[in-house]
Amino acid sequence: MGKILVPIDFSENSIIAARYAREIALENHDELVFLHVYTKHVNKYANFVVRGEKIIDPTIKDAEQKLSELVNQVKDKYPTLTISQLFDEGILSEVIAKETAKNSYKVVVMGTKGASGIESVLIGSNTYDAIKDAQIPVLAIPAYATTYKKDTIALLTNFKPGELEVLKQAIPVFGNKFHLLLIHINKAEAELKVLDKKFDEWIDTIIRETGIDDISYTIKNRSYFVNLAERIANGIQTMIRDENIDIILITKSRKTFFQNLFSENIIKEMAMEIMIPNFFGKTSSKVEIPK
């Protein structure tokens, strides 16, 4: 049992993410915490006082009421589910970072797109900011993920200890009874027999450290992406479709292997253009560039 933080801006995408988080919470007996963050722009009510009382922007009260109504709706439909709410002013990524630093959460579950216009708080760039700043894993949910499914979960791997950290962070969220697909980008064009041996050792380590024992792997050469004539992030999305992956785990470190490898910000692109839920883990391990 743990706590899941779910940012809500009342857009369809944030509601889809909330439903996804609800299914995880029901399975694991977790507490859901719905968070709404509003940003003050030019407040035309700032200097208004009527009968000695300061006038508050009615849109703030409306949002607070909508959040309470949403929480009550979920409670009525799922009485066994523990759910609470937070209402705060500021920048979404900063509020998430502050909240997750002072309280214990297993994951932040959030949508990748939000309401259109100036009031939007859950847009692609803000999702990326939350992923970058949060000290705990962030599970980014696209609009397509209307069903919670975890038959096949993929891990982008370069045989590094930080990837084990991410797997261990994912287990409290998804359990360990799923098929794990390891995806390796063969930067050095190493011989397959060499990589096969590394995978045998790596899989033994994963089984020993995590208890996940249904594991396979796939190796992609760098030329795979060149032949696709696509950006690297799009190439990864093509792999996701080809391999029928439900969720992908991505290791977030001070400098990611994929940034080193391709000199482009894969984490940001994956956050902006995801097709399936992306679990961005946090690792303290420094990722080394292979020789």
Side-chain angles (χ1 to χ4, degrees), residues 53-244:
E53 293 187 5
K54 186 176 179 181
I55 302 299
I56 299 175
D57 185 343
T59 61
I60 296 175
K61 288 187 175 181
D62 288 345
E64 199 165 8
Q65 182 177 347
K66 286 176 71 175
L67 183 63
S68 295
E69 289 174 354
L70 179 61
V71 168
N72 289 332
Q73 287 172 7
V74 178
K75 282 182 177 179
D76 289 343
K77 192 168 183 180
Y78 301 92
T80 62
L81 185 61
T82 303
I83 181 169
S84 57
Q85 66 189 65
L86 292 173
F87 192 80
D88 204 350
E89 186 270 334
I91 297 171
L92 178 63
S93 60
E94 294 178 0
V95 173
I96 290 174
K98 179 181 68 175
E99 175 62 21
T100 55
K102 70 180 182 180
N103 291 297
S104 179
Y105 292 91
K106 64 166 62 173
V107 68
V108 178
V109 179
M110 62 188 298
T112 56
K113 298 287 182 181
S116 60
I118 197 168
E119 298 302 323
S120 175
V121 295
L122 294 182
I123 59 175
S125 59
N126 278 324
T127 304
Y128 170 65
D129 287 340
I131 292 164
K132 177 170 58 70
D133 296 340
Q135 297 303 304
I136 67 169
V138 174
L139 178 59
I141 307 296
Y144 315 105
T146 55
T147 302
Y148 176 45
K149 192 166 178 277
K150 55 171 186 174
D151 295 337
T152 298
I153 297 180
L155 172 67
L156 300 173
T157 186
N158 197 33
F159 315 108
K160 298 301 178 183
E163 296 155 11
L164 272 177
E165 290 183 52
V166 172
L167 268 175
K168 290 177 180 178
Q169 292 166 13
I171 287 172
V173 180
F174 306 117
N176 63 1
K177 302 304 179 184
F178 54 81
H179 173 64
L180 175 64
L181 174 64
L182 302 172
I183 300 174
H184 175 70
I185 311 300
N186 186 12
K187 174 195 175 185
E189 304 290 343
E191 293 184 15
L192 288 182
K193 63 180 181 181
V194 173
L195 288 176
D196 286 338
K197 183 178 180 181
K198 291 186 75 170
F199 266 112
D200 287 343
E201 295 171 353
W202 187 225
I203 288 172
D204 286 342
T205 300
I206 291 173
I207 293 171
R208 183 174 64 252
E209 293 285 334
T210 69
I212 300 170
D213 57 9
D214 182 5
I215 305 172
S216 64
Y217 63 88
T218 183
I219 300 167
K220 299 293 185 183
N221 290 332
R222 186 170 182 169
S223 58
Y224 169 84
F225 299 99
V226 175
N227 292 337
L228 282 174
E230 296 175 334
R231 291 168 308 171
I232 304 307
N234 282 355
I236 293 172
Q237 300 292 12
T238 300
M239 279 195 295
I240 287 169
R241 291 192 298 267
D242 291 346
E243 302 289 347
N244 198 26

Side-chain angles (χ1 to χ4, degrees), residues 5-31:
L5 186 64
V6 187
I8 297 286
D9 72 346
F10 312 113
S11 67
E12 181 181 357
N13 293 70
S14 71
I15 298 301
I16 288 172
R19 290 171 183 158
Y20 199 95
R22 179 196 68 204
E23 294 306 305
I24 295 173
L26 287 169
E27 183 175 84
N28 298 320
H29 307 288
D30 292 326
E31 176 185 351

